[in-house]
Amino acid sequence: MTRQSFIVAVLVAVFLIGGAGVGGASGVSETQPTAQLDHSSGDVLPTTEETAHSDDRTIASVDAPTEPAADPSQKRPDQPAFTERAGVMARSPQTGSPRVSRSLTAGRPLTRGITQSQILQFWREPAAFTTEINASSVSAGNDLTANVTITNTGDQAGDTTIQVSDETAILNTTTLSLSGQTSTTITVTRETTVDDIGTVTLTANSSDTTTTTTVNVTDPEPPTVSAVQRTPARTNDTVQIAATFENGSVPIESARVALAADFTAFTHSLPVETPTGDSAATTVTFNVTELPADGNYTPQAVATGPTGQTDSTTTDPVTVDTTPPELQLTTANLTTNGTLRIVPREPVTLTDSGITITTDTRADRSPRPTDIPDGTITAPVTIPFNSTVVGNTETFTIEVTATDRVGNRDTHTLTATVTNHTLSADGTARIDPTDDTTISVPADDSLDRRDLTTVVQRSDTAPPGTNLTPAQVGGGFRTITTSGLTASTPRNVTVQFAVAEIHQDTVDTFENSSLRVLTSAADERAYQPVETTYNPANHTVTATVNDVGQFAVAGIDTTEPSVTRTAVAPSWTVAPTADAVNVSYEYTDAETGIDLTQTTLTAAVASERNQTTIGRNAAWIAIDQLRGGETIPVVLTVTDNAGNSHTQTDVISVAPDGGDPPSVDQLRSSLRLVTPEHRTGLPLSAAEPQQDGLVLATDNAETVDRLRFSQESLSGRVVVTEYGAPPQSIADALTESAAQDIDSIETGRAYGEQGANIELISVANITPTTEGTDDAAATVAFTVDNSSVTHPERLGVLTATNPAQTQQPEWRLQKPTIHANGTDEIRLQVAVDSFSLFAIVDTAFEIQPEATGDADTTAAAADRTDIQQPLLVLVSAVLIVGLLISAPFARRLRRATEEDIDPEETEFEWDPLEDS
């Protein structure tokens, strides 16, 4: 039975008992004052006199002393006093007044000051409070909102104080009153930061209970970037990039605007101010001089939050064009009605004054403004002009100024010289139309004996319809036409050009002796080089060709770009705890320049572990997340605009986690990542038998000169792989590896730092392909460049030997025999027991003799020692026995001497056994 049910049952019982009392034995009804109960407050209202005959209001009856009625507000001393004890109304034992039957009516007090509501209140539960916390997960930076519900689980009203807190501070304190069986909710908010990512613990304390809950705080809402725009779309000067940055749930930590090249790994970034409010718009101006080359660049705006969250937005590329427009020019009909033909390589515009034509007498032959086309020219145009020739020779100087779409402007010059001439006295047509051009045509039947007219056109750009290859660097173009020559008949035409009239950029780039005369047939676009002679006396280049036509003087770029500087930080060999390795290169190409679209810099790691930038004359790469024991090849390939490439490979070695230097096998694996300088495979069948074995010459190798085997019956092949001076990281690793086996080698550094007392000159790996040959005794001869050696007398050879099949290879330092020491090279020779890695080193110390030696000689010495030891024991034993036998004889001889015995009178007999 519940408590409420029990209370109801008691009340019903009280009513029943009260009804029985009215109809009691005495049967007397007594009128008493009745107190009315105010159910809203529980107070007793003023009383009125009424009879107690109404059975439906009687809930209980109690005995009371028989006394005259009196004013209920005044208590007599002898009036019975009722007390409330254990929930039962009882008469006070202080009086023994006779009992009377008195009715207990609803709203009537049992005694003065005690009402029915007070009796009911006695049976109700006291106030008790519980709490409940409800909160949803929140992104860092947003407010955490918690709803705390407080419930009074009792029947009576009550007051309580609620305190809400997190792990570090009190968030809210509230005091409230609640009626029984009612609830209320308070809301508490708390700011969050990125430090709260994870969980936040909230606690609600009341006077009765404590409630705890955890709230998930997730990564902040990322920042956003919008409204990225570029102005203009094409530029040769500056470009403006606009963007709007908006904070996420936390402020942006960094913001930048960048231009990323579409043709190579290059990004130029500029930082911008982060928003002080919710968002901010910004505009950044880029100068194209800070970019490596012309081309398309994609604008991008990037915002990064404090936890690494980023947002990036791009827009259409901007085209950077700083190259002046190029025009191809030619003239026609110069002796009659001359015309100028202009072929643009890109859309250009010509102003009315953009074309000027003058003669050597300074006569103005410029075309009329109406003959110059208006607007943008996208196709070839032909413009008439007055080309009347005055006298035997006339030179027209034509200048055309063109402007491209972004404002680049250039003036192209074409000089056309018309010469009227006749045959020379010896029948040879010698034409000197200009100071720098001479044409000699031998007389034959194909030569028209009439007057000749020769036109020579000179320009810095190729004539229309022709082009040089990227490797041909033009120094000037000549187009020669001569009337009176039959073009179908080949002849030896000699052309001569003065170097002084060749474009000086080309002259400065190439040696004069390397300049070539190129020709282009009438129906061909390309130019082909012909045999050219340079005359240093008059600084001219001369060539003999089959016919006059289109010529060019050019240098031909066949030279690879050069890497001028390589740097690494902290070093090529690093500990796995290093933050990152940064490798940078500087390169150049004087002839045609670097082609950034074909220049690459890569590392053999995942793309997220490296960041690469390729610039006009330099490139760099950063590699992070290093792992113990890994070897990382870094490969730079630099390509010029002529298509020549240079590749350089460097290797980053990360020390093992334990810090041990690499083994010989690990070094061999690292070398496989490097492109060898030479690799030669030699069959032993090609070896030359000699008195002391087989001699195998390595004609194509650089360092390994020859191998001499002591055995004559060998088969298979020997592969010689030469690496020259290895990458610095491998040189460092090899030094570390050798230092752990050879006491005299000192690295002088902690792992990964520079410095050692040996310098590697060359490394080679000799590998026989037939088992049994790899451990054959042999002598290896090496040849090194004298200029690469600092101390020839301190040269040494590091060899990797295998002392036993169960052991790892060990390093051995040998002092070689120097067989020849010429002015250009040094020849070394060492004896070996097996083939593996060989390293020629220049040492900073004297190599001790015990560090050298032939293994066979050592073994023979050991064998002799093994034989001499038992022989020495045997000889010692014989000597001891001889001494024992001779001792008695010696004593007896001594006694005979002492007694002066006459040998003729005395018979002497000696028995060794008896004497002993």
Side-chain angles (χ1 to χ4, degrees):
M1 176 182 295
T2 63
R3 187 177 187 90
Q4 289 80 0
S5 301
F6 175 75
I7 293 174
V8 172
V10 171
L11 292 176
V12 171
V14 170
F15 276 102
L16 293 177
I17 294 172
V22 172
S26 64
V28 179
S29 175
E30 182 179 0
T31 301
Q32 295 290 344
T34 302
Q36 302 297 327
L37 178 66
D38 184 352
H39 293 282
S40 63
S41 63
D43 296 331
V44 179
L45 300 178
T47 60
T48 58
E49 293 290 331
E50 63 180 17
T51 59
H53 292 292
S54 179
D55 293 341
D56 59 339
R57 298 182 60 193
T58 303
I59 61 172
S61 65
V62 296
D63 293 334
T66 304
E67 292 293 335
D71 185 355
S73 62
Q74 297 182 358
K75 179 182 176 182
R76 298 196 310 272
D78 59 346
Q79 183 176 352
F82 291 87
T83 61
E84 182 180 21
R85 183 177 304 154
V88 179
M89 299 302 298
R91 184 175 60 180
S92 174
Q94 297 176 356
T95 176
S97 302
R99 300 181 58 172
V100 296
S101 177
R102 189 180 296 270
S103 299
L104 178 63
T105 306
R108 177 177 294 178
L110 296 176
T111 62
R112 286 192 178 93
I114 300 178
T115 66
Q116 179 182 356
S117 63
Q118 291 174 321
I119 296 176
L120 297 177
Q121 184 72 12
F122 170 78
W123 290 102
R124 299 171 67 190
E125 285 283 355
F129 296 92
T130 61
T131 56
E132 180 183 359
I133 305 175
N134 291 301
S136 300
S137 62
V138 65
S139 299
N142 290 326
D143 287 345
L144 184 156
T145 301
N147 294 319
V148 182
T149 300
I150 305 98
T151 302
N152 182 354
T153 60
D155 299 316
Q156 301 181 29
D159 299 335
T160 189
T161 298
I162 303 298
Q163 190 177 78
V164 182
S165 60
D166 61 11
E167 300 95 329
T168 60
I170 296 174
L171 307 178
N172 179 273
T173 300
T174 301
T175 301
L176 48 81
S177 297
L178 279 181
S179 301
Q181 301 298 321
T182 59
S183 301
T184 190
T185 300
I186 62 174
T187 300
V188 178
T189 60
R190 176 193 183 276
E191 294 180 352
T192 62
T193 67
V194 292
D195 296 333
D196 295 317
I197 294 177
T199 59
V200 171
T201 301
L202 298 180
T203 302
N205 290 312
S206 71
S207 56
D208 300 312
T209 60
T210 297
T211 302
T212 299
T213 190
T214 57
V215 183
N216 291 327
V217 180
T218 61
D219 288 339
E221 297 172 3
T224 57
V225 181
S226 60
V228 178
Q229 298 177 337
R230 85 280 194 260
T231 305
R234 300 178 66 93
T235 183
N236 65 346
D237 185 13
T238 61
V239 59
Q240 291 184 331
I241 309 298
T244 298
F245 295 89
E246 185 175 354
N247 289 323
S249 55
V250 296
I252 294 173
E253 187 171 78
S254 64
R256 59 186 175 89
V257 175
L259 286 176
D262 294 352
F263 50 87
T264 191
F266 177 88
T267 300
H268 180 39
S269 297
L270 293 177
V272 298
E273 294 288 338
T274 57
T276 56
D278 292 337
S279 64
T282 186
T283 300
V284 177
T285 300
F286 289 88
N287 195 312
V288 298
T289 59
E290 301 168 338
L291 304 177
D294 287 0
N296 287 342
Y297 292 81
T298 298
Q300 56 183 215
V302 182
T304 303
T307 61
Q309 293 176 307
T310 62
D311 185 45
S312 177
T313 302
T314 62
T315 189
D316 295 334
V318 57
T319 300
V320 174
D321 178 9
T322 61
T323 304
E326 183 177 326
L327 304 178
Q328 292 180 302
L329 307 177
T330 188
T331 61
N333 304 322
L334 287 186
T335 58
T336 55
N337 298 317
T339 58
L340 171 66
R341 182 174 174 83
I342 302 173
V343 180
R345 291 290 184 91
E346 61 179 307
V348 297
T349 57
L350 305 173
T351 63
D352 291 345
S353 59
I355 301 176
T356 61
I357 302 176
T358 58
T359 67
D360 51 358
T361 59
R362 297 188 179 182
D364 186 3
R365 303 290 182 87
S366 301
R368 294 172 301 181
T370 55
D371 292 330
I372 300 176
D374 295 330
T376 302
I377 301 174
T378 59
V381 295
T382 300
I383 301 174
F385 69 97
N386 181 3
S387 61
T388 302
V389 176
V390 178
N392 289 329
T393 302
E394 189 80 81
T395 298
F396 299 90
T397 301
I398 304 170
E399 294 183 344
V400 180
T401 300
T403 305
D404 64 16
R405 289 173 293 179
V406 296
N408 298 309
R409 177 176 294 186
D410 196 16
T411 299
H412 294 267
T413 301
L414 172 68
T415 301
T417 300
V418 181
T419 302
N420 296 313
H421 56 90
T422 60
L423 290 176
S424 60
D426 59 359
T428 300
R430 179 178 176 84
I431 309 164
D432 295 299
T434 64
D435 293 339
D436 68 314
T437 304
T438 300
I439 306 167
S440 298
V441 182
D444 56 24
D445 293 339
S446 65
L447 188 61
D448 191 335
R449 298 292 177 173
R450 297 174 302 174
D451 290 343
L452 304 178
T453 300
T454 299
V455 177
V456 178
Q457 301 182 67
R458 297 178 297 167
S459 64
D460 292 335
T461 59
T466 65
N467 287 298
L468 296 178
T469 66
Q472 298 169 343
V473 182
F477 296 86
R478 307 290 185 269
T479 300
I480 303 173
T481 58
T482 299
S483 63
L485 297 179
T486 304
S488 61
T489 304
R491 62 185 58 82
N492 294 325
V493 178
T494 302
V495 292
Q496 177 177 289
F497 304 103
V499 172
E501 297 296 327
I502 299 173
H503 200 288
Q504 290 306 299
D505 287 345
T506 303
V507 174
D508 294 341
T509 301
F510 296 90
E511 294 289 339
N512 289 344
S513 59
S514 68
L515 296 174
R516 292 291 179 267
V517 174
L518 313 179
T519 64
S520 175
D523 298 330
E524 294 183 0
R525 296 183 61 87
Y527 285 84
Q528 302 298 331
V530 296
E531 185 176 352
T532 305
T533 302
Y534 170 69
N535 187 344
N538 59 6
H539 299 290
T540 59
V541 290
T542 304
T544 300
V545 295
N546 291 333
D547 203 350
V548 294
Q550 298 176 134
F551 299 89
V553 179
I556 300 177
D557 182 10
T558 59
T559 305
E560 295 180 356
S562 59
V563 177
T564 58
R565 182 176 180 270
T566 302
V568 62
S571 69
W572 292 111
T573 306
V574 295
T577 54
D579 292 335
V581 177
N582 296 277
V583 185
S584 62
Y585 300 91
E586 294 180 5
Y587 39 77
T588 185
D589 185 84
E591 291 82 7
T592 56
I594 302 299
D595 183 358
L596 296 184
T597 65
Q598 300 299 319
T599 297
T600 60
L601 177 58
T602 61
V605 295
S607 58
E608 61 269 15
R609 291 181 55 193
N610 73 90
Q611 185 174 0
T612 304
T613 298
I614 296 177
R616 183 184 293 111
N617 298 310
W620 52 95
I621 186 170
I623 305 168
D624 57 15
Q625 303 176 38
L626 303 177
R627 301 166 185 171
E630 72 175 336
T631 301
I632 306 172
V634 178
V635 181
L636 170 69
T637 299
V638 186
T639 305
D640 63 19
N641 288 305
N644 305 305
S645 294
H646 173 79
T647 298
Q648 177 172 321
T649 301
D650 297 293
V651 179
I652 298 170
S653 296
V654 183
D657 292 326
D660 295 330
S663 65
V664 173
D665 291 337
Q666 289 173 330
L667 286 170
R668 191 181 288 109
S669 298
S670 298
L671 282 169
R672 292 192 185 103
L673 302 174
V674 179
T675 303
E677 291 187 355
H678 293 88
R679 184 182 179 89
T680 306
L682 302 171
L684 288 172
S685 59
E688 300 176 3
Q690 294 190 3
Q691 250 184 342
D692 51 356
L694 296 176
V695 175
L696 189 62
T698 56
D699 296 334
N700 296 326
E702 281 287 322
T703 303
V704 180
D705 187 48
R706 64 184 55 215
L707 308 174
R708 183 189 298 274
F709 296 91
S710 59
Q711 301 179 32
E712 296 184 2
S713 58
L714 295 175
S715 61
R717 295 171 60 84
V718 175
V719 178
V720 178
T721 306
E722 296 179 322
Y723 299 96
Q728 189 62 48
S729 63
I730 294 181
D732 292 343
L734 194 150
T735 302
E736 285 283 344
S737 181
Q740 67 179 345
D741 296 331
I742 303 171
D743 293 338
S744 57
I745 295 180
E746 297 178 357
T747 61
R749 58 188 172 91
Y751 205 89
E753 298 176 0
Q754 299 295 328
N757 63 351
I758 64 171
E759 179 183 357
L760 266 68
I761 304 299
S762 180
V763 175
N765 187 23
I766 303 177
T767 309
T769 59
T770 302
E771 187 176 355
T773 305
D774 55 351
D775 58 356
T779 300
V780 183
F782 302 94
T783 301
V784 296
D785 187 356
N786 197 9
S787 62
S788 64
V789 179
T790 305
H791 306 96
E793 72 281 0
R794 295 180 182 176
L795 285 175
V797 179
L798 282 170
T799 60
T801 63
N802 192 359
Q805 295 296 328
T806 58
Q807 297 181 13
Q808 292 291 328
E810 296 179 353
W811 288 104
R812 176 184 176 192
L813 179 61
Q814 294 182 254
K815 185 175 181 63
T817 301
I818 298 179
H819 282 269
N821 189 351
T823 57
D824 296 329
E825 60 183 26
I826 301 173
R827 188 176 180 190
L828 315 173
Q829 183 172 301
V830 292
V832 298
D833 304 327
S834 60
F835 293 101
S836 181
L837 288 180
F838 294 83
I840 300 175
V841 296
D842 191 352
T843 66
F845 55 89
E846 292 291 341
I847 301 175
Q848 299 301 319
E850 56 266 25
T852 68
D854 189 307
D856 292 339
T857 304
T858 304
D863 292 340
R864 289 195 299 269
T865 302
D866 292 341
I867 295 173
Q868 290 173 355
Q869 287 180 349
L871 182 61
L872 180 61
V873 173
L874 178 61
V875 171
S876 300
V878 171
L879 290 174
I880 293 173
V881 171
L883 290 173
L884 291 175
I885 293 175
S886 61
F889 176 77
R891 286 196 302 269
R892 191 160 184 170
L893 181 62
R894 185 177 65 249
R895 286 197 301 268
T897 303
E898 292 173 352
E899 296 174 357
D900 293 326
I901 299 175
D902 187 355
E904 297 180 354
E905 298 177 354
T906 305
E907 183 180 355
F908 178 76
E909 294 182 357
W910 175 57
D911 185 355
L913 295 178
E914 180 181 341
D915 187 75
S916 61

